[in-house]
Amino acid sequence: MQVSTHRLLQNTANTKVTQYDMLTSPITTPFFHQRVLELVTYSLYNNADPDSELQSPTISPLCLADTPLSPGDITPQLLAFVSPWIDLCSPDPLIASVSRQVLYLEIAYAAFCGIEYIFIPGPRLYHDDAVTYGTSQYARAVQEALSIGSHLSIYIMLPMVDNPVDDPAVELVSLASHARRKYLDDILEYRPHKPDMFGTWDAWNVIRTALGKVDLSMSRYFPSFSPWLTLSLPKQLPPLSVQSRWYSEPIRLISLTSDTFDKNPRDCPVLSRPLRSFISRLMRIKTPPWILLCNVGPIPGFDSQEELYSAADGLLSSDATIEAPTPAEAASQPRSNNRKSQDPTPHLNYIRYLQRNQPPRTVVERYGSGYQDYLQVPLQPLTDNLESMTYEVFEKDPVKYDLYEEALRRALRDWKDQKKVTSHPEGKVVVAVAGAGRGPLVTRALRASRAEKVEIDMWAVEKNPNAYVLLQRHNVEDWEHRVTIVQSDMRSWKGPSRIYSANDQEYLSAVPTDHPSTATAMPGSTVIYGTIDILVSELLGSFADNELSPECLDGILHLLNPTHGISIPRSYTAFLTPIAAPKLHADISSRTAWDATAPDTPAVVWLHAIDYLSTAPKPADTATGEAANGKGKGKVPNPPSQTTPGSTHPTPSPLSPTPAPSPLILPAWSFHHGPQPSQASLPTSNTHNSRHCRLTFRTRNRGVCHGLGGYFEAVLYPGVDLSTNPDTMEQKSEGMISWFPIFFPLKIPLYIPDSSLIMVHMWRQTDGRKVWYEWMVEVYGYTSLRGSGTAAEMGRLVRLGGGEVGSSKAGGCLM
C-alpha cells in the first residue's frame, strides 16, 4: 500500500526522508492562476459588443514563475495535480476553451519533466443551482490529454457523492465564476442543492463510455490509454449501495483529508468504523489503491530539517487508539497542545497501523488469493484428461468432502434402518463413485461405511488412464484392496460385474474390468452385471450443469437399483443475477485483440470487485422468477414507488453499520437424478437436457450491467446441501472453496436507469455433439414514475434497451 501526502513543493526532498512513499505537487503556481484570470477578465469585460461571440484568448507558454517543477531525481516520486480552478464542463465556450488550454499546457510540461502520474479534477456538475450536462465535453478534453504523453498515467479525481455544497472549487477563484449568464440560462435543469448519491458515479460512467473507443489493446502497454479513478472519501460514508458501486470500479487511489479523521479522547486522529471497514475492503482487492493524505500537517524533513524523526512504522503511541469517539466523548474530550511535538505524523502512523493490522482473511480469501477477478476457461472433463495438479486443487476443500461424507452416512443409515434390499448377493450396499479422479470420494465412502457399520461393495470408475494408475496404488496402500477399480467412461460402463459359477451356483468374485476373458478362462463361469445402490459423483461445474453432469449421468443412471437407488447429488439448480463488473469487462475487451470469441465465452472467476444490480432489502420487496422442467418465466413485479435514489437507505452509524442488502439471485433451472429406465429406453438425442428461463430483476438504483453472475445449489441427500449462491452459502456450505462463480459477459454493457427492470433470457442448448449457452439481457422502464406505485399509476412498461445474444457455441463443452 502506497501512502502519499498532498503538499506544495518548496524543495527537492527525497520521499524516504519525509516517511511517505510519494509526494504531490501542483504543476503550476498561484502566479500562473492569476495570469490566466487576468486574461479571461480582460477578454470578457473589454468587449465592445456583449452579444457578439468572443474569440477565446490564447494562453502563452509557461514561464519560470508559472511552475515549481523541473526535471530531476525526485520527479518519479511525484504525483502532479492539474489546477483545480479550471472548468472543462463550462457551458460558456470561452471558459471551456481556456480550461482546455490550461489542461494541455500543464500536462505537456509535466510530461516533459518526466512525471508519470497526473491527477485531473473531476467534472463540475453544478453551476449555481443549475445541473450542467458538460461531462461529455469533459471526457473529450481528457481524451485529447491522453495523447500528449505515452508514458503518462491519468487519474480522474472524484468525490464519493455529488454534493454541490462540498464542491472545493467554490472556495477558490474558479474560472466557473466567470461563466456568462446567457450560457447558464440555456441549461435545461435547475434543482436545489441536494446530494445525488450516484451523481459522480454517473459522471464517471459517462467519461468511461466516451473513452471506450480508445485502443484497448494499447492500454496493456501504455497506461496513458486508460484513465484511472481517484476517490475522495467523506467523513460520513454514503449508503452501502453507493459504497458497493464504487468498490466495483477501478479505484487506484483514495484521498483522506484531515477533516475525514475524528479525534479520540487523547486527541489522536482516528477513522470511524465504517471508514476503516471500507478501506480494509479496498485493501483486499488484487491491486489495492494508494492512499493520499491531504492537509494533515507539516512533513518532517520536508518543511524543516530539524523535524526529522524515525520512519513511521505503524506502531501507535501509548495515547493512540483506533476507535473513533462517541458524540458524548467528542464533546467532552480534552485538547492537547503538545500532541504534534510527540508524534509529528500521527495520521501517517495511524494509516500504517491499519495497514499492518488488517482483519484476518477467511478460508476462501486465503485460498483464492491471486484469483480475484481472474478469468479462467471452464474445464472440459469429458474430452481432456485432467492433470494431478488440477485434482489436487479440488481436493484442498475439506468442506465439500465433509458434506459428501455426511450425505453417504445418512444414505447408509437410512438403508440400514429401512431394511432396504441391496443389489449385492451377500447383502452389501453397492456404492460406485463415477469419475473417481484420485479417489477422495472413495476414501470418504469407506470412512462412512465404517462409521455407520454398514458393509459396502465399493466400485471406482475413472476414464483417465493416468488417474487409474494412482487409484490402483491407493487400493493397495490405503484401501486394503476393498475397492474394485474400473477404467472406463461411465457412460459405457455396463455396471458392477461378477463371475458367476454355474457349477457351484454361486458368485465367485468381482470383475475389475469389462473384459470377459477372466470369466471365460474358468469353465462353467460367466460374467453377470448387476446394479448400483448408491451412485456418487462430483461432476458439478460453476453453473451446476456446465461440465455436462446431466449428460454423464444419463449414461449411468440406468444402472441404479430401480427400487431403492440413490444418486448423490440428488438434484442441483443453477442461479443467475445481473452484475456490474467493469474490471472484468475491460479484461475481456482487451482479450478481443487476439481472441474474437472472448465476449462469447463464459468464464470461471472469483467475483470480487463487482456490484449486484438487484438487491432484496426485505422478503416482501423482491422480484420473482420461475423455472419448471426446462422452461421458466419471470413474473414482472409490481412497479416501484417513486423515491429519490438512495433516500430509502439510512446512513450507517459509525458504531453500528447498516447491514448490506442481500443480492437478488434467482433460480434458472434444475436437474433431478434417480433411478431411470433401461438404457435402451433412453432418448436417442440430448434435447431432454435443453433448458430455457426468463428471469426478471427489479433495480432501485441506476447502474451498468456488464454481465451475469452464475451460481448453483445442490442437494446431495435430503438434509445435506452445498451452495455457491451468496444468499445461502453461509447456511449450507460455509467456507467451501471448490467452485468459483461463472460469468456470462455482455458484448456491450447496458445502462440501467433508476427504478427499472432487467429481464434475463438464458438457454442451455445442445446438438448431440456439444452443449453451449446463449443469453440475452433487456432493460424495461415505466412511462411514468408518479403515483403510489400501482401499475395503473406507473404507466406502461416499455423496453429501454437490450444487448446482443451471447453464444458460447464456438467453445461449447464437447460430449
Side-chain angles (χ1 to χ4, degrees):
M1 179 178 67
Q2 300 278 347
V3 182
S4 310
T5 185
H6 193 26
R7 194 75 180 156
L8 175 63
L9 265 180
Q10 300 294 341
N11 56 53
T12 56
N14 191 286
T15 56
K16 293 182 180 179
V17 175
T18 66
Q19 306 178 16
Y20 289 92
D21 299 300
M22 306 283 282
L23 294 176
T24 68
S25 172
I27 300 174
T28 55
T29 63
F31 177 84
F32 178 71
H33 182 195
Q34 185 63 33
R35 181 161 72 88
V36 173
L37 285 179
E38 291 176 354
L39 180 63
V40 170
T41 303
Y42 180 83
S43 300
L44 290 175
Y45 300 107
N46 289 275
N47 180 33
D49 185 4
D51 296 328
S52 64
E53 292 294 331
L54 293 180
Q55 293 294 326
S56 174
T58 301
I59 303 175
S60 59
L62 299 180
C63 62
L64 179 61
D66 290 333
T67 178
L69 300 180
S70 61
D73 294 337
I74 193 177
T75 51
Q77 302 168 343
L78 285 181
L79 311 177
F81 279 69
V82 171
S83 295
W85 41 265
I86 64 175
D87 184 10
L88 297 171
C89 291
S90 178
D92 189 327
L94 186 144
I95 300 300
S97 174
V98 171
S99 297
R100 287 194 299 271
Q101 292 182 60
V102 172
L103 174 69
Y104 302 153
L105 278 173
E106 293 187 351
I107 289 184
Y109 184 74
F112 165 77
C113 292
I115 293 176
E116 298 181 16
Y117 308 104
I118 306 293
F119 291 77
I120 302 177
R124 185 182 178 88
L125 305 180
Y126 285 83
H127 288 79
D128 296 330
D129 285 341
V131 180
T132 58
Y133 297 93
T135 309
S136 298
Q137 179 177 297
Y138 174 95
R140 177 188 172 278
V142 172
Q143 185 173 22
E144 185 69 22
L146 288 171
S147 62
I148 293 178
S150 61
H151 68 282
L152 294 177
S153 292
I154 302 295
Y155 291 75
I156 307 297
M157 301 186 65
L158 291 170
M160 203 170 189
V161 175
D162 171 24
N163 189 352
V165 177
D166 296 334
D167 190 346
V170 175
E171 302 175 3
L172 302 172
V173 183
S174 170
L175 291 180
S177 61
H178 294 272
R180 288 166 285 179
R181 176 54 59 181
K182 68 175 183 178
Y183 293 102
L184 295 178
D185 291 339
D186 292 337
I187 297 175
L188 298 179
E189 182 180 355
Y190 283 83
R191 71 168 67 147
H193 284 185
K194 187 175 183 180
D196 181 358
M197 292 298 175
F198 289 89
T200 49
W201 174 85
D202 235 344
W204 165 250
N205 183 60
V206 170
I207 297 169
R208 172 176 51 200
T209 304
L211 299 179
K213 298 298 183 181
V214 175
D215 188 356
L216 289 167
S217 63
M218 297 295 291
S219 66
R220 297 174 61 86
Y221 309 100
F222 300 101
S224 66
F225 278 85
S226 55
W228 301 105
L229 174 61
T230 298
L231 196 64
S232 176
L233 301 187
K235 186 172 184 176
Q236 188 173 23
L237 288 177
L240 290 171
S241 57
V242 182
Q243 298 178 39
S244 179
R245 178 63 51 78
W246 283 119
Y247 178 75
S248 69
E249 298 292 345
I251 301 175
R252 296 303 296 270
L253 185 144
I254 56 175
S255 66
L256 303 170
T257 68
S258 58
D259 294 334
T260 310
F261 290 82
D262 289 310
K263 291 288 187 178
N264 68 4
R266 296 185 179 274
D267 207 31
C268 297
V270 292
L271 294 174
S272 64
R273 185 175 299 174
L275 272 170
R276 293 200 312 272
S277 177
F278 184 70
I279 293 175
S280 294
R281 191 182 178 197
L282 291 175
M283 292 304 108
R284 294 173 187 255
I285 296 177
K286 190 174 183 179
T287 304
W290 298 355
I291 293 180
L292 176 64
L293 298 178
C294 303
N295 303 321
V296 293
I299 305 174
F302 185 85
D303 298 298
S304 172
Q305 291 295 322
E306 298 177 356
E307 296 177 345
L308 284 175
Y309 290 83
S310 59
D313 56 8
L315 300 177
L316 299 183
S317 66
S318 58
D319 293 337
T321 60
I322 65 171
E323 291 292 341
T326 64
E329 291 173 337
S332 61
Q333 65 187 18
R335 295 291 179 179
S336 174
N337 295 325
N338 61 350
R339 183 66 207 147
K340 291 184 179 179
S341 62
Q342 298 176 19
D343 187 353
T345 56
H347 300 82
L348 174 61
N349 234 343
Y350 180 78
I351 294 298
R352 296 291 193 199
Y353 174 83
L354 294 182
Q355 178 184 2
R356 292 182 52 181
N357 294 272
Q358 290 292 303
R361 294 179 180 269
T362 64
V363 174
V364 176
E365 288 174 332
R366 292 196 299 270
Y367 172 79
S369 178
Y371 289 95
Q372 299 171 346
D373 300 314
Y374 177 73
L375 299 167
Q376 304 174 74
V377 178
L379 297 175
Q380 293 253 13
L382 286 183
T383 56
D384 300 334
N385 288 323
L386 303 182
E387 298 179 352
S388 180
M389 184 185 306
T390 305
Y391 288 119
E392 184 177 356
V393 171
F394 298 145
E395 293 169 11
K396 289 181 179 179
D397 186 354
V399 176
K400 176 181 71 174
Y401 292 109
D402 286 346
L403 290 171
Y404 265 96
E405 182 178 340
E406 176 62 22
L408 281 162
R409 291 188 61 173
R410 293 194 182 197
L412 292 173
R413 188 184 311 143
D414 290 346
W415 202 288
K416 178 178 64 175
D417 294 344
Q418 298 171 19
K419 297 180 171 55
K420 298 178 182 178
V421 178
T422 69
S423 301
H424 194 275
E426 298 177 2
K428 299 178 181 179
V429 177
V430 180
V431 179
V433 175
R438 302 199 314 177
L441 285 180
V442 177
T443 300
R444 295 301 183 122
L446 295 173
R447 186 183 300 177
S449 170
R450 289 194 298 269
E452 296 299 326
K453 296 180 173 55
V454 176
E455 197 170 358
I456 64 173
D457 178 27
M458 189 73 232
W459 292 76
V461 183
E462 175 55 51
K463 73 174 182 63
N464 187 339
N466 305 307
Y468 173 69
V469 176
L470 182 60
L471 290 173
Q472 291 177 312
R473 186 176 301 279
H474 282 316
N475 200 23
V476 174
E477 298 178 355
D478 304 318
W479 300 331
E480 301 175 348
H481 300 278
R482 298 179 57 195
V483 183
T484 306
I485 303 171
V486 179
Q487 183 191 350
S488 171
D489 188 318
M490 68 181 73
R491 296 171 295 179
S492 59
W493 185 42
K494 297 179 181 180
S497 51
R498 296 174 182 83
I499 301 175
Y500 179 77
S501 173
N503 297 330
D504 298 329
Q505 297 291 308
E506 64 179 0
Y507 290 93
L508 301 180
S509 64
V511 180
T513 69
D514 284 337
H515 300 292
S517 58
T518 305
T520 57
M522 304 176 63
S525 300
T526 184
V527 175
I528 302 296
Y529 296 97
T531 57
I532 305 167
D533 295 323
I534 301 177
L535 175 65
V536 188
S537 63
E538 51 174 338
L539 306 171
L540 299 174
S542 295
F543 199 49
D545 54 77
N546 61 296
E547 293 183 10
L548 305 191
S549 176
E551 284 73 20
C552 292
L553 294 179
D554 274 351
I556 194 173
L557 284 174
H558 67 281
L559 299 177
L560 267 183
N561 184 316
T563 306
H564 306 296
I566 297 171
S567 173
I568 300 177
R570 185 177 186 176
S571 64
Y572 38 86
T573 303
F575 286 78
L576 286 169
T577 189
I579 61 174
K583 294 181 182 179
L584 294 181
H585 176 73
D587 191 358
I588 292 173
S589 297
S590 65
R591 297 186 182 202
T592 56
W594 64 87
D595 181 10
T597 64
D600 284 320
T601 303
V604 173
V605 55
W606 183 19
L607 297 175
H608 193 72
I610 66 165
D611 184 30
Y612 296 105
L613 295 174
S614 181
T615 58
K618 54 184 179 180
D621 187 26
T622 61
T624 59
E626 294 180 350
N629 195 24
K631 294 185 179 181
K633 290 186 178 182
K635 296 180 180 179
V636 179
N638 291 331
S641 59
Q642 171 64 10
T643 58
T644 302
S647 64
T648 59
H649 298 275
T651 303
S653 165
L655 298 179
S656 56
T658 304
S662 59
L664 185 61
I665 303 176
L666 300 182
W669 51 66
S670 299
F671 287 90
H672 300 266
H673 299 300
Q676 289 186 356
S678 64
Q679 191 172 22
S681 61
L682 290 176
T684 56
S685 67
N686 193 41
T687 55
H688 64 288
N689 284 324
S690 298
R691 294 290 189 273
H692 168 242
C693 71
R694 186 184 68 194
L695 307 173
T696 304
F697 299 85
R698 176 191 295 180
T699 65
R700 182 182 300 274
N701 302 309
R702 74 200 82 160
V704 173
C705 182
H706 295 96
L708 305 172
Y711 309 89
F712 76 89
E713 294 180 7
V715 178
L716 298 182
Y717 191 76
V720 183
D721 300 349
L722 55 82
S723 171
T724 65
N725 182 347
D727 285 342
T728 59
M729 184 174 180
E730 289 188 4
Q731 293 78 28
K732 295 185 176 182
S733 49
E734 183 178 7
M736 188 175 65
I737 57 178
S738 286
W739 292 276
F740 289 152
I742 196 168
F743 178 64
F744 296 93
L746 298 185
K747 298 178 183 177
I748 301 176
L750 283 178
Y751 184 80
I752 313 297
D754 291 322
S755 302
S756 57
L757 301 177
I758 300 176
M759 189 170 291
V760 173
H761 300 267
M762 176 71 75
W763 295 265
R764 188 181 195 266
Q765 303 279 57
T766 179
D767 59 4
R769 189 175 64 90
K770 61 183 177 181
V771 173
W772 69 94
Y773 296 95
E774 296 178 357
W775 59 96
M776 181 180 178
V777 178
E778 299 176 288
V779 183
Y780 288 83
Y782 293 93
T783 56
S784 173
L785 287 179
R786 299 176 182 176
S788 60
T790 64
E793 294 173 325
M794 294 299 292
R796 187 167 54 92
L797 190 66
V798 295
R799 187 177 187 271
L800 304 178
E804 300 180 34
V805 176
S807 174
S808 63
K809 186 174 184 178
C813 202
L814 297 174
M815 297 172 57

